[in-house]
Amino acid sequence: MSGLLHWVATHGEIIGRTVREHLVLSGVALAVALALALPMGVALVRHPRAAAIAVGGVNTLRTIPSLALLVIMLPVLGTGFLPSVVALTLYGLPAILLNTLVGLREVDADVIDAARGQGLSERQITTDITIPLALPVILAGIRTSAVQIVSAATLAVFIGGGGLGELISSGLGLLDIAQLVTGALLVALLAVATELVFGAIQFGLARRYGIAS
Amino acid sequence: MIRLERVSKTFPGTALPSVDAVDLEVPDGTTCVLIGPSGCGKTTTLRMINRLIEPSAGRVIVEGEDVTRADPVQLRRRIGYVIQGIGLFPHLSVGDNVATVPRLLGWPKAKVASRIDEMLSLVGLDPATFAGRKPGSLSGGQRQRVGVARALAADPPVMLMDEPFGAVDPVVRARLQREFGEILRRLGKTVIMVTHDIDEAIRMGDRVAIMRGGRIVQYDEPSRLLGRPADAFVADFVGADRGLKRLTLEPAAAFAVPGVAPPGVPALPADASLQEALSLMLASGADAVAVAGRDGRPAGLVTLARIREVAAAQAEGGAASAA
Ligand SMILES: Nc1ncnc2c1ncn2[C@@H]1O[C@H](COP(=O)(O)OP(=O)(O)OP(=O)(O)O)[C@@H](O)[C@H]1O
Ligand SMILES: [Mg+2]
């Protein structure tokens, strides 16, 4: 225990850098996954056949283990930040896309019908009715995706993406238990914190809209 | 005015038309009730008027305008619509629900706010209590009221109502029918209402269209529908008790004559029908009952003999004439 504290106290710089890398990597991957999956979900919900194909593809994607996904990037994009972001984006995308589709589809047909009957345009129905009503489910998907990405980002070190995986792999290599455990604890802490933060956002929005998630 | 001219709808993949060459004319300020067995095409007919369903053939004219030429989104903002399942927006407050169409039309904020209060009061909901609440916290009857308030909010000349009282118990239902019938008449709305409750049709309709298999088999005033059913289907549909039902159309007070009320029999309220008068006589064994006037004091007596006369006159075919 004192060894662990000593290691943390004397390696502030590398801890700071790897945490920062980890957060940037995860944040960028989540942002790209959101930017892709949300519009895709909104567009696909109106086209059941295309949606079925997309869901099939995304489900296949989901079965690929995160490490495999990262290593597949090697021959295509080489090593470093970019291939890590691409792999993590692909890893986080299914949860957001699937939940967006499910959430939008589950909106009560009567509510949409009433909206159309009052004279809302199709665009207004999407922005004012279905998206707000699907928000709790969409947010649950984002939360799952964020936690998945933060955990999987640990493996980015294998293709030179940096992050907290660095502490774990070099700890393993050097048989430096203090470094290894510090890395592992920090990853766990980040994952739990991510879960809590997104949970709080989800709860707050559900309350604001007065609907259960 | 609403006019349907040989309007038909055949859905893709179906052999028979769901609505088959329907002609219907609803004069300004009157209520037309569409009634018929499930699946006979009531909802389809209604939804072709605001173009939620595109007719396969025929013309629909609302307020002098052929709706097939109108932009459907703009058209719907001019037609109040209460859907079969109410469909309140669960994430918005009651007030925001009511404000839907006024906001779409770009009304100024202050006008929207006062309109919310006005509409909620109109349908019997206290704005201070209800405007801020979410639909999820309302009773079924209160939701129906909000649904109607939302449809009325931008003061559309025409209202389409699909089973607006479908989700409430009979007591609330009767009260809503009376209240909303009164409101719609007072506002001079032209209304097409769907129901599958014949009593509701008789109570609320100036004219009633009975549908079967996508066609209108009879379109008539309630008294004529009950007195002169066009065929066996209509006779069966309005019920074997149509003679009794017809008495519900006649206010008891209109047939009251001076006289002394029999002891121990309560007086009928001022708005009671001849059917209620007859029912009270049968229950009490008396052959005359007192009716209260508008001021609450007894206005006179309705006698069993008089009811017989009215029923006989109705059976002759003409509408009964008040004494
Ligand atoms: N979108 C559709 N595609 C195919 N058939 C349809 C569609 N909508 C309605 N129909 C059919 O058209 C017929 C009339 O339906 P409609 O909803 O107008 O009946 P309704 O009189 O309102 O019945 P209910 O009293 O049960 O509400 C039914 O046979 C129904 O199955
Ligand atoms: Mg219907």
Side-chain angles (χ1 to χ4, degrees):
Chain A
M1 191 67 204
S2 71
L4 190 66
L5 289 178
H6 181 254
W7 194 89
V8 170
T10 52
H11 293 79
E13 200 177 316
I14 187 173
I15 291 175
R17 176 178 62 76
T18 50
V19 167
R20 212 163 41 242
E21 280 174 5
H22 202 102
L23 286 176
V24 170
L25 200 55
S26 308
V28 172
L30 182 65
V32 178
L34 280 172
L36 291 175
L38 292 179
M40 267 169 80
V42 171
L44 284 172
V45 81
R46 288 175 178 280
H47 302 98
R49 211 171 280 163
I53 295 170
V55 167
V58 143
N59 274 329
T60 313
L61 196 60
R62 264 208 317 190
T63 60
I64 305 175
S66 46
L67 184 57
L69 211 50
L70 278 152
V71 174
I72 292 166
M73 291 299 140
L74 266 178
V76 191
L77 291 171
T79 60
F81 182 76
L82 181 69
S84 306
V85 166
V86 172
L88 291 174
T89 299
L90 288 177
Y91 190 61
L93 189 116
I96 304 176
L97 181 61
L98 292 175
N99 275 48
T100 303
L101 274 172
V102 169
L104 291 174
R105 260 192 215 138
E106 272 178 358
V107 174
D108 186 353
D110 272 349
V111 170
I112 297 175
D113 195 40
R116 195 169 286 129
Q118 309 298 312
L120 274 78
S121 66
E122 295 307 307
R123 170 177 283 266
Q124 286 167 331
I125 292 173
T126 303
T127 56
D128 300 354
I129 307 294
T130 49
I131 291 183
L133 286 174
L135 214 52
V137 181
I138 296 175
L139 275 168
I142 296 175
R143 172 178 172 181
T144 307
S145 168
V147 175
Q148 284 175 338
I149 289 175
V150 166
S151 308
T154 316
L155 303 168
V157 67
F158 291 117
I159 60 168
L164 286 166
E166 221 176 286
L167 301 185
I168 295 174
S169 77
S170 91
L172 274 173
L174 302 169
L175 285 179
D176 179 351
I177 301 298
Q179 183 176 356
L180 180 64
V181 172
T182 304
L185 283 178
L186 284 173
V187 170
L189 201 69
L190 271 191
V192 171
T194 307
E195 170 82 15
L196 290 179
V197 167
F198 281 90
I201 296 174
Q202 201 183 337
F203 180 75
L205 273 165
R207 248 183 42 155
R208 190 173 125 210
Y209 283 111
I211 42 186
S213 51
Chain B
M1 190 177 70
I2 306 171
R3 197 163 74 232
L4 275 63
E5 294 174 359
R6 301 197 65 75
V7 172
S8 297
K9 177 66 189 183
T10 307
F11 286 104
T14 55
L16 292 174
S18 294
V19 173
D20 192 3
V22 161
D23 284 307
L24 188 72
E25 188 169 316
V26 186
D28 278 338
T30 66
T31 296
C32 160
V33 178
L34 295 180
I35 189 168
S38 190
C40 70
K42 306 181 292 292
T43 296
T44 306
T45 302
L46 200 69
R47 289 163 72 87
M48 286 193 283
I49 296 167
N50 63 2
R51 289 189 56 196
L52 285 168
I53 296 176
E54 294 293 340
S56 313
R59 293 210 306 162
V60 178
I61 289 146
V62 176
E63 302 279 293
E65 183 192 359
D66 184 348
V67 302
T68 45
R69 302 242 170 78
D71 170 48
V73 169
Q74 298 299 327
L75 173 75
R76 289 173 201 142
R77 295 177 187 174
R78 284 179 273 133
I79 298 179
Y81 182 43
V82 182
I83 71 161
Q84 202 160 351
I86 316 178
L88 296 181
F89 308 136
H91 59 306
L92 301 180
S93 69
V94 165
D96 288 336
N97 266 279
V98 173
T100 305
V101 184
R103 284 195 182 130
L104 287 171
L105 294 174
W107 288 18
K109 268 208 170 89
K111 194 175 165 200
V112 173
S114 69
R115 190 67 179 167
I116 293 173
D117 286 4
E118 193 185 337
M119 284 297 109
L120 288 177
S121 308
L122 182 73
V123 299
L125 297 173
D126 173 33
T129 315
F130 288 97
R133 278 170 64 176
K134 291 278 163 57
S137 71
L138 303 183
S139 73
Q142 289 165 344
R143 271 181 231 173
Q144 305 268 16
R145 289 171 191 272
V146 178
V148 173
R150 180 176 66 178
L152 280 170
D155 202 17
V158 167
M159 290 280 286
L160 309 176
M161 303 168 80
D162 200 344
E163 306 207 19
F165 314 117
V168 289
D169 65 72
V171 178
V172 177
R173 195 180 170 102
R175 194 167 68 224
L176 290 178
Q177 285 167 354
R178 206 162 7 199
E179 280 183 37
F180 287 147
E182 161 65 21
I183 290 172
L184 294 169
R185 224 180 311 277
R186 183 152 42 90
L187 299 177
K189 301 294 178 196
T190 309
V191 183
I192 299 191
M193 193 182 109
V194 167
T195 181
H196 51 229
D197 175 353
I198 184 71
D199 294 314
E200 182 168 292
I202 290 166
R203 215 169 289 152
M204 303 213 39
D206 294 306
R207 296 179 82 188
V208 178
I210 299 203
M211 292 188 71
R212 179 193 199 184
R215 292 171 164 272
I216 293 182
V217 288
Q218 187 169 2
Y219 182 41
D220 247 327
E221 288 160 18
S223 62
R224 289 188 55 85
L225 208 64
L226 294 167
R228 289 283 174 86
D231 60 17
F233 171 78
V234 177
D236 191 45
F237 196 84
V238 296
D241 61 342
R242 61 195 168 90
L244 268 178
K245 284 203 177 99
R246 239 171 343 152
L247 292 178
T248 64
L249 296 169
E250 306 294 345
F255 299 92
V257 292
V260 181
V265 181
L268 286 164
D271 60 355
S273 68
L274 279 185
Q275 190 202 36
E276 286 161 280
L278 179 62
S279 168
L280 184 59
M281 287 178 205
L282 293 175
S284 62
D287 51 15
V289 290
V291 190
R294 294 276 158 213
D295 57 0
R297 296 224 306 269
L301 285 185
V302 178
T303 63
L304 189 57
R306 188 79 185 92
I307 293 179
R308 278 230 177 79
E309 281 171 33
V310 173
Q314 283 179 335
E316 291 291 308
S321 57

